[in-house]
mmCIF file with all atom_site columns, all heavy atoms in Angstrom:
data_model
loop_
_atom_site.group_PDB
_atom_site.id
_atom_site.type_symbol
_atom_site.label_atom_id
_atom_site.label_alt_id
_atom_site.label_comp_id
_atom_site.label_asym_id
_atom_site.label_entity_id
_atom_site.label_seq_id
_atom_site.pdbx_PDB_ins_code
_atom_site.Cartn_x
_atom_site.Cartn_y
_atom_site.Cartn_z
_atom_site.occupancy
_atom_site.B_iso_or_equiv
_atom_site.pdbx_formal_charge
_atom_site.auth_seq_id
_atom_site.auth_comp_id
_atom_site.auth_asym_id
_atom_site.auth_atom_id
_atom_site.pdbx_PDB_model_num
ATOM 1   N N   . LEU A 1 336 ? 11.787 -7.566 -11.472 1.00 0.00 ? 346 LEU A N   1
ATOM 2   C CA  . LEU A 1 336 ? 10.505 -6.910 -11.166 1.00 0.00 ? 346 LEU A CA  1
ATOM 3   C C   . LEU A 1 336 ? 10.561 -5.427 -11.443 1.00 0.00 ? 346 LEU A C   1
ATOM 4   O O   . LEU A 1 336 ? 9.609  -4.813 -11.916 1.00 0.00 ? 346 LEU A O   1
ATOM 5   C CB  . LEU A 1 336 ? 10.144 -7.181 -9.701  1.00 0.00 ? 346 LEU A CB  1
ATOM 6   C CG  . LEU A 1 336 ? 9.813  -8.654 -9.361  1.00 0.00 ? 346 LEU A CG  1
ATOM 7   C CD1 . LEU A 1 336 ? 9.734  -8.879 -7.855  1.00 0.00 ? 346 LEU A CD1 1
ATOM 8   C CD2 . LEU A 1 336 ? 8.504  -9.064 -10.028 1.00 0.00 ? 346 LEU A CD2 1
ATOM 9   N N   . GLU A 1 337 ? 11.726 -4.832 -11.135 1.00 0.00 ? 347 GLU A N   1
ATOM 10  C CA  . GLU A 1 337 ? 11.872 -3.399 -11.399 1.00 0.00 ? 347 GLU A CA  1
ATOM 11  C C   . GLU A 1 337 ? 11.736 -3.120 -12.899 1.00 0.00 ? 347 GLU A C   1
ATOM 12  O O   . GLU A 1 337 ? 11.093 -2.157 -13.309 1.00 0.00 ? 347 GLU A O   1
ATOM 13  C CB  . GLU A 1 337 ? 13.241 -2.938 -10.876 1.00 0.00 ? 347 GLU A CB  1
ATOM 14  C CG  . GLU A 1 337 ? 13.430 -1.443 -11.027 1.00 0.00 ? 347 GLU A CG  1
ATOM 15  C CD  . GLU A 1 337 ? 14.822 -0.969 -10.562 1.00 0.00 ? 347 GLU A CD  1
ATOM 16  O OE1 . GLU A 1 337 ? 15.721 -1.834 -10.393 1.00 0.00 ? 347 GLU A OE1 1
ATOM 17  O OE2 . GLU A 1 337 ? 14.987 0.219  -10.381 1.00 0.00 ? 347 GLU A OE2 1
ATOM 18  N N   . HIS A 1 338 ? 12.373 -4.002 -13.682 1.00 0.00 ? 348 HIS A N   1
ATOM 19  C CA  . HIS A 1 338 ? 12.307 -3.850 -15.141 1.00 0.00 ? 348 HIS A CA  1
ATOM 20  C C   . HIS A 1 338 ? 10.869 -3.935 -15.604 1.00 0.00 ? 348 HIS A C   1
ATOM 21  O O   . HIS A 1 338 ? 10.388 -3.111 -16.412 1.00 0.00 ? 348 HIS A O   1
ATOM 22  C CB  . HIS A 1 338 ? 13.160 -4.965 -15.794 1.00 0.00 ? 348 HIS A CB  1
ATOM 23  C CG  . HIS A 1 338 ? 12.896 -5.191 -17.222 1.00 0.00 ? 348 HIS A CG  1
ATOM 24  N ND1 . HIS A 1 338 ? 13.046 -4.205 -18.180 1.00 0.00 ? 348 HIS A ND1 1
ATOM 25  C CD2 . HIS A 1 338 ? 12.419 -6.292 -17.917 1.00 0.00 ? 348 HIS A CD2 1
ATOM 26  C CE1 . HIS A 1 338 ? 12.703 -4.680 -19.379 1.00 0.00 ? 348 HIS A CE1 1
ATOM 27  N NE2 . HIS A 1 338 ? 12.309 -5.924 -19.236 1.00 0.00 ? 348 HIS A NE2 1
ATOM 28  N N   . VAL A 1 339 ? 10.101 -4.897 -15.089 1.00 0.00 ? 349 VAL A N   1
ATOM 29  C CA  . VAL A 1 339 ? 8.704  -5.058 -15.492 1.00 0.00 ? 349 VAL A CA  1
ATOM 30  C C   . VAL A 1 339 ? 7.881  -3.822 -15.150 1.00 0.00 ? 349 VAL A C   1
ATOM 31  O O   . VAL A 1 339 ? 7.189  -3.278 -15.988 1.00 0.00 ? 349 VAL A O   1
ATOM 32  C CB  . VAL A 1 339 ? 8.077  -6.321 -14.827 1.00 0.00 ? 349 VAL A CB  1
ATOM 33  C CG1 . VAL A 1 339 ? 6.561  -6.348 -15.023 1.00 0.00 ? 349 VAL A CG1 1
ATOM 34  C CG2 . VAL A 1 339 ? 8.708  -7.597 -15.368 1.00 0.00 ? 349 VAL A CG2 1
ATOM 35  N N   . VAL A 1 340 ? 8.050  -3.367 -13.895 1.00 0.00 ? 350 VAL A N   1
ATOM 36  C CA  . VAL A 1 340 ? 7.219  -2.213 -13.450 1.00 0.00 ? 350 VAL A CA  1
ATOM 37  C C   . VAL A 1 340 ? 7.629  -0.949 -14.160 1.00 0.00 ? 350 VAL A C   1
ATOM 38  O O   . VAL A 1 340 ? 6.789  -0.201 -14.667 1.00 0.00 ? 350 VAL A O   1
ATOM 39  C CB  . VAL A 1 340 ? 7.328  -2.026 -11.909 1.00 0.00 ? 350 VAL A CB  1
ATOM 40  C CG1 . VAL A 1 340 ? 6.579  -0.793 -11.467 1.00 0.00 ? 350 VAL A CG1 1
ATOM 41  C CG2 . VAL A 1 340 ? 6.777  -3.277 -11.203 1.00 0.00 ? 350 VAL A CG2 1
ATOM 42  N N   . ARG A 1 341 ? 8.941  -0.698 -14.259 1.00 0.00 ? 351 ARG A N   1
ATOM 43  C CA  . ARG A 1 341 ? 9.428  0.577  -14.819 1.00 0.00 ? 351 ARG A CA  1
ATOM 44  C C   . ARG A 1 341 ? 9.290  0.587  -16.348 1.00 0.00 ? 351 ARG A C   1
ATOM 45  O O   . ARG A 1 341 ? 8.767  1.534  -16.906 1.00 0.00 ? 351 ARG A O   1
ATOM 46  C CB  . ARG A 1 341 ? 10.899 0.777  -14.435 1.00 0.00 ? 351 ARG A CB  1
ATOM 47  C CG  . ARG A 1 341 ? 11.475 2.125  -14.843 1.00 0.00 ? 351 ARG A CG  1
ATOM 48  C CD  . ARG A 1 341 ? 12.979 2.149  -14.629 1.00 0.00 ? 351 ARG A CD  1
ATOM 49  N NE  . ARG A 1 341 ? 13.616 1.020  -15.314 1.00 0.00 ? 351 ARG A NE  1
ATOM 50  C CZ  . ARG A 1 341 ? 14.658 0.340  -14.845 1.00 0.00 ? 351 ARG A CZ  1
ATOM 51  N NH1 . ARG A 1 341 ? 15.248 0.675  -13.738 1.00 0.00 ? 351 ARG A NH1 1
ATOM 52  N NH2 . ARG A 1 341 ? 15.143 -0.682 -15.540 1.00 0.00 ? 351 ARG A NH2 1
ATOM 53  N N   . ASP A 1 342 ? 9.775  -0.470 -17.011 1.00 0.00 ? 352 ASP A N   1
ATOM 54  C CA  . ASP A 1 342 ? 9.880  -0.430 -18.462 1.00 0.00 ? 352 ASP A CA  1
ATOM 55  C C   . ASP A 1 342 ? 8.611  -0.913 -19.199 1.00 0.00 ? 352 ASP A C   1
ATOM 56  O O   . ASP A 1 342 ? 8.484  -0.720 -20.403 1.00 0.00 ? 352 ASP A O   1
ATOM 57  C CB  . ASP A 1 342 ? 11.087 -1.239 -18.909 1.00 0.00 ? 352 ASP A CB  1
ATOM 58  C CG  . ASP A 1 342 ? 12.383 -0.751 -18.281 1.00 0.00 ? 352 ASP A CG  1
ATOM 59  O OD1 . ASP A 1 342 ? 12.447 0.450  -17.936 1.00 0.00 ? 352 ASP A OD1 1
ATOM 60  O OD2 . ASP A 1 342 ? 13.321 -1.577 -18.051 1.00 0.00 ? 352 ASP A OD2 1
ATOM 61  N N   . GLU A 1 343 ? 7.769  -1.592 -18.471 1.00 0.00 ? 353 GLU A N   1
ATOM 62  C CA  . GLU A 1 343 ? 6.494  -2.039 -19.116 1.00 0.00 ? 353 GLU A CA  1
ATOM 63  C C   . GLU A 1 343 ? 5.346  -1.230 -18.520 1.00 0.00 ? 353 GLU A C   1
ATOM 64  O O   . GLU A 1 343 ? 4.694  -0.432 -19.210 1.00 0.00 ? 353 GLU A O   1
ATOM 65  C CB  . GLU A 1 343 ? 6.332  -3.547 -18.948 1.00 0.00 ? 353 GLU A CB  1
ATOM 66  C CG  . GLU A 1 343 ? 7.411  -4.296 -19.721 1.00 0.00 ? 353 GLU A CG  1
ATOM 67  C CD  . GLU A 1 343 ? 7.325  -5.796 -19.699 1.00 0.00 ? 353 GLU A CD  1
ATOM 68  O OE1 . GLU A 1 343 ? 6.593  -6.352 -18.852 1.00 0.00 ? 353 GLU A OE1 1
ATOM 69  O OE2 . GLU A 1 343 ? 8.023  -6.446 -20.544 1.00 0.00 ? 353 GLU A OE2 1
ATOM 70  N N   . ASP A 1 344 ? 5.038  -1.423 -17.219 1.00 0.00 ? 354 ASP A N   1
ATOM 71  C CA  . ASP A 1 344 ? 3.868  -0.719 -16.649 1.00 0.00 ? 354 ASP A CA  1
ATOM 72  C C   . ASP A 1 344 ? 3.989  0.780  -16.689 1.00 0.00 ? 354 ASP A C   1
ATOM 73  O O   . ASP A 1 344 ? 3.143  1.486  -17.210 1.00 0.00 ? 354 ASP A O   1
ATOM 74  C CB  . ASP A 1 344 ? 3.637  -1.164 -15.190 1.00 0.00 ? 354 ASP A CB  1
ATOM 75  C CG  . ASP A 1 344 ? 3.191  -2.609 -15.121 1.00 0.00 ? 354 ASP A CG  1
ATOM 76  O OD1 . ASP A 1 344 ? 2.187  -2.939 -15.770 1.00 0.00 ? 354 ASP A OD1 1
ATOM 77  O OD2 . ASP A 1 344 ? 3.851  -3.408 -14.411 1.00 0.00 ? 354 ASP A OD2 1
ATOM 78  N N   . TYR A 1 345 ? 5.050  1.315  -16.073 1.00 0.00 ? 355 TYR A N   1
ATOM 79  C CA  . TYR A 1 345 ? 5.139  2.779  -15.940 1.00 0.00 ? 355 TYR A CA  1
ATOM 80  C C   . TYR A 1 345 ? 5.510  3.444  -17.245 1.00 0.00 ? 355 TYR A C   1
ATOM 81  O O   . TYR A 1 345 ? 5.080  4.583  -17.529 1.00 0.00 ? 355 TYR A O   1
ATOM 82  C CB  . TYR A 1 345 ? 6.095  3.195  -14.808 1.00 0.00 ? 355 TYR A CB  1
ATOM 83  C CG  . TYR A 1 345 ? 5.572  2.871  -13.421 1.00 0.00 ? 355 TYR A CG  1
ATOM 84  C CD1 . TYR A 1 345 ? 4.433  2.102  -13.240 1.00 0.00 ? 355 TYR A CD1 1
ATOM 85  C CD2 . TYR A 1 345 ? 6.233  3.307  -12.292 1.00 0.00 ? 355 TYR A CD2 1
ATOM 86  C CE1 . TYR A 1 345 ? 3.955  1.792  -11.962 1.00 0.00 ? 355 TYR A CE1 1
ATOM 87  C CE2 . TYR A 1 345 ? 5.785  3.034  -11.002 1.00 0.00 ? 355 TYR A CE2 1
ATOM 88  C CZ  . TYR A 1 345 ? 4.621  2.262  -10.870 1.00 0.00 ? 355 TYR A CZ  1
ATOM 89  O OH  . TYR A 1 345 ? 4.173  1.951  -9.587  1.00 0.00 ? 355 TYR A OH  1
ATOM 90  N N   . ALA A 1 346 ? 6.269  2.772  -18.099 1.00 0.00 ? 356 ALA A N   1
ATOM 91  C CA  . ALA A 1 346 ? 6.569  3.324  -19.420 1.00 0.00 ? 356 ALA A CA  1
ATOM 92  C C   . ALA A 1 346 ? 5.257  3.541  -20.197 1.00 0.00 ? 356 ALA A C   1
ATOM 93  O O   . ALA A 1 346 ? 5.046  4.562  -20.826 1.00 0.00 ? 356 ALA A O   1
ATOM 94  C CB  . ALA A 1 346 ? 7.520  2.436  -20.188 1.00 0.00 ? 356 ALA A CB  1
ATOM 95  N N   . THR A 1 347 ? 4.386  2.547  -20.091 1.00 0.00 ? 357 THR A N   1
ATOM 96  C CA  . THR A 1 347 ? 3.069  2.658  -20.753 1.00 0.00 ? 357 THR A CA  1
ATOM 97  C C   . THR A 1 347 ? 2.242  3.758  -20.064 1.00 0.00 ? 357 THR A C   1
ATOM 98  O O   . THR A 1 347 ? 1.628  4.592  -20.727 1.00 0.00 ? 357 THR A O   1
ATOM 99  C CB  . THR A 1 347 ? 2.328  1.325  -20.621 1.00 0.00 ? 357 THR A CB  1
ATOM 100 O OG1 . THR A 1 347 ? 3.144  0.334  -21.236 1.00 0.00 ? 357 THR A OG1 1
ATOM 101 C CG2 . THR A 1 347 ? 0.966  1.372  -21.345 1.00 0.00 ? 357 THR A CG2 1
ATOM 102 N N   . GLY A 1 348 ? 2.280  3.776  -18.755 1.00 0.00 ? 358 GLY A N   1
ATOM 103 C CA  . GLY A 1 348 ? 1.528  4.797  -17.982 1.00 0.00 ? 358 GLY A CA  1
ATOM 104 C C   . GLY A 1 348 ? 1.991  6.209  -18.319 1.00 0.00 ? 358 GLY A C   1
ATOM 105 O O   . GLY A 1 348 ? 1.152  7.133  -18.420 1.00 0.00 ? 358 GLY A O   1
#
Side-chain angles (χ1 to χ4, degrees):
L346 292 169
E347 183 183 16
H348 164 60
V349 169
V350 175
R351 185 189 55 216
D352 303 332
E353 294 183 345
D354 291 305
Y355 290 8
T357 302

